[in-house]
Amino acid sequence: MSRRLTIDPITRIEGHARITIQLDDAGNVADAHFHVTQFRGFEKLCEGRPFAEMPSLMARICGICPVSHLVAAAKACDRILAVRPPKTGSDLRELMNLAQIVQSHSLSLFYLAAPDLVFGFDADPATRNIVGIARTNPQLAGDGILLRKFGQRVIEILGGKRIHPAWIVPGGVETPLTAEKRDEIRAMIPDAYAAVDRTLTWYKANLMGWAEEEASLGNFKSAFMAMVEDEGNVTHYDGRLRIADHDGALIAEFDPRDYAEHLGEFVDDASFLKPTYLLSRGVTDGMYRVGTLARVVVAKGFGTPRADAELESFRKVFGPTPSSSFLYHHTRLIEILHGIEKIEQLLKDPDILSDRVISNAQVNRNIGIGVAEAPRGTLMHRYVVDDDGIVQTANLMIATGHNASAMNAGVLQVAKKYVHGEDVAEGMLNRVEAVIRCYDPCLSCSTHAAGQMPMIVDLVDSRGDVIRVLSR
Amino acid sequence: MTTGTALRRPLVIGYGTAMRGDDAVGWYVADLLALEQRLADVDVLSIHQLTPELAADFASASRVVLIDAAADGDEPGTVHVVDVEPDFAAAGVFSHHVDAASLVALTNALYGDAPPTKMVTVSLDAVPHEERLSPPVAAAIPDVVAIVTRLSLEDDDA
C-alpha cells in the first residue's frame, strides 16, 4: 500500500503552506508537492477600481517587498498613460527598488537562512533563530540588522515610511529627492559596505561546511529567467527578459511585455499558488527558476565592480551555470553588495536631484504591463482598463509562482533521500524546510494571501489516505 | 557598540494594526504623545509590529515604553503596566516580527545590555476592520497617555 507524508508546519517562510509526500506501493517516494493553503484574491478586488490606485493597492499584498509591487504596478500604469517617466523619476524608482532588494535579502539571509547555516540543519530549533545567532556570533547578527535597517531607512527617506510608501506613482514619483536626504543616504553607505564585506568573508570561510547541502538541496537542471540590461548585466528595474537553459544556452530573449508569448500559467488543483511554465516546453518540462541564482546564470554580470569581483570568485568555485538552489543564499549576499553599489552610483549623478520626476497624462491605452525584478525574482503586473481607466481585469505573475515547479522538484529530491517506506530519517523535516527556504518564497505574494507563517506538510498512501502528519 | 548613556533618550513605541479597531490603540496614544511638549526629548514611534532591527533603537535608548492592545479577557479599557524581561529562549522570534521579551533579549545579546523596558497594555473590546476605537478603549486613552508620559520621564524627574 502506498503512503503519504505530511509536514506541518514549515517555519521561517512568508505565508501558510503544506507539503505532501506521496509514497508508492513499495514505500518509495513517488512524488512530492508544495501546496499553498490560503487565498485572498487580490486580483479580483482590483476590478472596478481606478488604475491609478493600483500601485498603492498592489503594494498591500506584501509587507516585505511592497516596493517591487509598487514598481511593477507603476510601470504598468505608465503604459496605460503611454508615458515614459523622466530619467530622474525612473532612477528614483530604481533606487527605492534596490533599497528593498537589500532589506529583503538581509531578512532572508540573516533572519531566515542564517540560523541553519550557523547552527547546522539538525540543531535544536529553540536556538536556531536570530537571537541564538546574536548570542554566538553578535557581529553577524548585528550586520544583518544593520543591512536591513539600511534598506528600510533608504525606503523611509525616499517614501516617507518604511512599509507601504505611496511615493511611486503612475508617471514617476511624487516628490523629488533633496540634497539633504541624498546626503543622509550617502552617509550610511560606508557602514553598509563594511557589514556586507564582513558577511561575505564569513560566508566564504564556511562554504566547505555546507558542501552536502549544496549538493542535495534543490540541485537539478532547469532553465532560468531574469531581466538584463543592454550590456547583458543584471537589472532590477528595466530591460529585456532572458531565458537560458541549464547550460547557459539562450532559449529566448524578449521585451517583457511579450511575456505571454513565452510563459504560461496553469491551475494546480491542490494549491492556491498558480505555477508558470515555458510555453515552448509545455507544463511537464517547462520548469524554470527566477531570483538571484537565475540572475547570475543568465546575466553577464552585475555591472558594478565589487559585486562583479565577488561574482567572478563565485563562478570560479561553482562554474558559470550552477544548478543548486542552495546557492540562492550566496547569490543573495552578492546582490546585497550590488544593491549598495548601485545606490551609491545613482546618488552620484547630479540629476538625481532634478525636480522633473513625473510625467502626467490621461488614459491612452487599455492594456498596461509592468515588469520588474523583485528580490525573489521576476514580477509581472498586467491590467486591462476601460476608456475611463477603470480596471476590468488584473493578472499578477509572481516570483514564487515562477519558482513553484522548482520548489516541488527540490522537495522531491530531499524526500527521496530521507524517506524510505515508513522510515523518515532524522533531519528530513529540516531539509524539506531548508530547500523551500532557499527560494525565500513569499506566499502572501504568490496567492495574495494574508501572511502569517507556518506552512503545513502531509505523508499519504497511494489511495490518497493520509497516514502521517509531521509537525513540531 | 552602544551609545553613551548621556546621549540616550527615552523611546516610546505604540504598535498594532492601524486598521483593526482597538488594535490601533498604540498608534492613537503615540500620536498624542508626539504632540506633548514635555516629551520633546523622547523619541516616539508608531509601527505595525516589533521587528528584530528595533534592537538597534533599543540599544541607543535610555528606557523603552511599549504600548499595545491586549486580548487578555479583562474589562475593555483596563490598563496594565508590566516590566519586560529578556526571553533568551526566543520563542517569539519569527522573521519580520518578534515579541517584546525576545527583542529585549536580542538587544542584550547584540549590544551587551538592554534598557529598562515597560509594556503598557490596554485590554481590547473588538478588532473589526475599522479605523475606530471602541468606546471603553477610547475612554482609557487619557490615562494611558498620562502613564506613558510618567514612565518616559521617570529618570529625568528623579
Side-chain angles (χ1 to χ4, degrees):
Chain A
M1 183 179 72
S2 61
R3 303 292 178 89
R4 186 167 63 184
L5 174 68
T6 301
I7 305 175
D8 173 20
I10 291 198
T11 57
R12 283 185 278 139
I13 61 166
E14 313 291 350
H16 293 282
R18 178 185 199 101
I19 285 176
T20 300
I21 297 168
Q22 182 80 46
L23 306 182
D24 62 19
D25 290 337
N28 297 315
V29 172
D31 203 0
H33 215 90
F34 174 77
H35 318 274
V36 179
T37 55
Q38 54 185 171
F39 176 71
R40 198 161 71 183
F42 232 86
E43 289 143 323
K44 198 68 184 168
L45 67 85
C46 291
E47 293 176 8
R49 305 302 308 170
F51 80 97
E53 289 183 359
M54 290 304 107
S56 284
L57 205 159
M58 289 297 188
R60 273 2 193 231
I61 290 173
C62 184
I64 304 298
C65 56
V67 174
S68 296
H69 286 288
L70 273 174
V71 169
K75 287 180 72 177
C77 292
D78 295 344
R79 293 292 297 173
I80 291 169
L81 297 172
V83 298
R84 180 177 286 272
K87 179 180 179 300
T88 302
S90 293
D91 286 350
L92 288 170
R93 284 179 176 179
E94 185 175 8
L95 190 62
M96 184 180 265
N97 198 33
L98 290 162
Q100 184 203 233
I101 296 273
V102 172
Q103 71 88 7
S104 177
H105 284 350
S106 299
L107 186 151
S108 173
L109 184 72
F110 291 92
Y111 296 6
L112 307 183
D116 295 331
L117 304 179
V118 169
F119 297 111
F121 292 78
D122 297 314
D124 179 1
T127 57
R128 260 190 305 150
N129 53 51
I130 186 73
V131 175
I133 295 177
R135 299 187 82 181
T136 56
N137 190 340
Q139 185 70 66
L140 181 67
D143 285 340
I145 283 175
L146 186 150
L147 288 166
R148 182 121 204 271
K149 274 185 81 80
F150 169 80
Q152 288 185 315
R153 181 65 188 142
V154 173
I155 292 168
E156 190 175 17
I157 288 169
L158 293 172
K161 54 182 181 176
R162 64 182 75 171
I163 300 175
H164 299 141
W167 178 69
I168 293 176
V169 293
V173 299
E174 274 198 326
T175 53
L177 179 66
T178 64
E180 184 185 18
K181 288 181 175 179
R182 177 199 59 189
D183 295 345
E184 186 181 346
I185 298 172
R186 275 179 163 174
M188 297 188 292
I189 288 175
D191 284 347
Y193 274 138
V196 74
D197 285 346
R198 277 191 296 268
T199 309
L200 275 162
T201 301
W202 167 81
Y203 196 99
K204 288 186 285 188
N206 286 282
L207 265 185
M208 297 310 293
W210 304 316
E212 185 191 335
E213 283 72 27
E214 191 245 321
S216 62
L217 290 183
N219 191 4
F220 47 79
K221 291 179 179 177
S222 79
F224 295 92
M225 182 178 78
M227 190 183 282
V228 294
E229 38 86 295
D230 292 344
E231 302 290 319
N233 290 314
V234 168
T235 177
H236 298 89
Y237 180 71
D238 203 19
R240 292 173 65 76
L241 284 179
R242 180 181 289 174
I243 301 173
D245 213 340
H246 64 89
D247 57 0
L250 184 67
I251 295 175
E253 187 166 326
F254 51 92
D255 186 313
R257 292 187 293 269
D258 297 331
Y259 75 82
E261 295 173 18
H262 303 271
L263 307 175
E265 296 177 275
F266 66 96
V267 173
D268 176 352
D269 290 339
S271 177
F272 285 117
L273 194 163
K274 199 194 280 183
T276 60
Y277 65 99
L278 300 180
L279 285 173
S280 60
R281 295 186 171 181
V283 170
T284 307
D285 300 318
M287 173 176 71
Y288 60 98
R289 284 178 273 187
V290 299
T292 52
L293 182 65
R295 292 196 273 260
V296 304
V297 169
V298 308
K300 182 177 78 176
F302 284 102
T304 52
R306 291 189 188 201
D308 277 344
E310 285 297 335
L311 182 58
E312 191 181 340
S313 129
F314 172 88
R315 284 174 170 161
K316 277 182 185 162
V317 177
F318 300 108
T321 54
S323 57
S324 174
S325 297
F326 183 73
L327 299 175
Y328 271 102
H329 299 315
H330 195 157
T331 50
R332 257 179 217 116
L333 189 49
I334 299 173
E335 204 168 81
I336 290 173
L337 176 59
H338 166 68
I340 299 165
E341 283 186 288
K342 190 78 180 170
I343 287 170
E344 186 177 40
Q345 279 184 0
L346 287 165
L347 290 174
K348 276 185 181 163
D349 182 351
D351 285 347
I352 201 72
L353 300 180
S354 168
D355 288 340
R356 308 187 81 158
V357 296
I358 189 164
S359 304
N360 294 304
Q362 299 295 315
V363 174
N364 287 302
R365 287 196 183 101
N366 296 106
I367 296 178
I369 296 171
V371 180
E373 284 290 324
R376 295 157 183 83
T378 313
L379 172 63
M380 302 162 161
H381 283 212
R382 180 181 188 272
Y383 311 135
V384 177
V385 302
D386 66 13
D387 291 343
D388 296 318
I390 302 300
V391 174
Q392 307 299 298
T393 63
N395 188 40
L396 278 59
M397 291 169 72
I398 308 297
T400 302
H402 296 300
N403 278 334
S405 297
M407 284 192 284
N408 281 335
V411 172
L412 179 60
Q413 185 177 43
V414 170
K416 283 188 169 177
K417 180 171 181 179
Y418 287 92
V419 179
H420 302 286
E422 294 193 23
D423 294 330
V424 178
E426 182 67 27
M428 179 270 181
L429 284 175
N430 296 344
R431 271 26 177 229
V432 166
E433 289 194 353
V435 74
I436 293 292
R437 213 174 284 132
C438 291
Y439 298 90
D440 190 22
C442 185
L443 310 183
S444 301
C445 286
S446 61
T447 66
H448 328 309
Q452 244 237 82
M453 8 333 330
M455 163 155 100
I456 302 176
V457 186
D458 297 307
L459 203 24
V460 188
D461 66 20
S462 61
R463 291 179 301 192
D465 297 327
V466 176
I467 55 163
R468 194 164 170 191
V469 178
L470 302 178
S471 62
R472 40 171 171 255
Chain B
M1 290 171 88
T2 51
T3 306
T5 308
L7 300 175
R8 294 181 184 181
R9 293 153 56 96
L11 173 65
V12 173
I13 301 176
Y15 67 101
T17 308
M19 294 179 286
R20 292 297 299 271
D22 289 342
D23 197 35
V25 66
W27 284 67
Y28 280 84
V29 174
D31 287 351
L32 290 170
L33 291 169
L35 301 173
E36 275 276 348
Q37 286 300 316
R38 285 179 297 163
L39 300 184
D41 292 326
V42 175
D43 293 318
V44 181
L45 297 178
S46 305
I47 56 176
H48 294 285
Q49 58 195 8
L50 301 180
T51 54
E53 50 278 8
L54 282 169
D57 298 287
F58 273 43
S60 55
S62 59
R63 57 180 45 248
V64 177
V65 183
L66 304 169
I67 313 155
D68 192 14
D72 55 13
D74 280 0
E75 190 70 22
T78 304
V79 181
H80 294 288
V81 180
V82 296
D83 291 314
V84 180
E85 300 296 338
D87 171 17
F88 288 99
V93 171
F94 178 57
S95 57
H96 52 287
H97 73 257
V98 60
D99 67 23
S102 300
L103 186 52
V104 174
L106 182 60
T107 307
N108 210 309
L110 275 176
Y111 302 101
D113 195 9
T117 302
K118 303 267 191 195
M119 170 74 82
V120 179
T121 61
V122 185
S123 303
L124 59 79
D125 182 26
V127 287
H129 291 277
E130 291 180 359
E131 293 181 338
R132 188 175 57 179
L133 298 178
S134 66
V137 170
I141 282 188
D143 284 346
V144 182
V145 169
I147 291 167
V148 175
T149 300
R150 177 174 56 75
L151 293 172
S152 307
L153 298 177
E154 234 164 28
D155 266 356
D156 304 293
D157 291 344

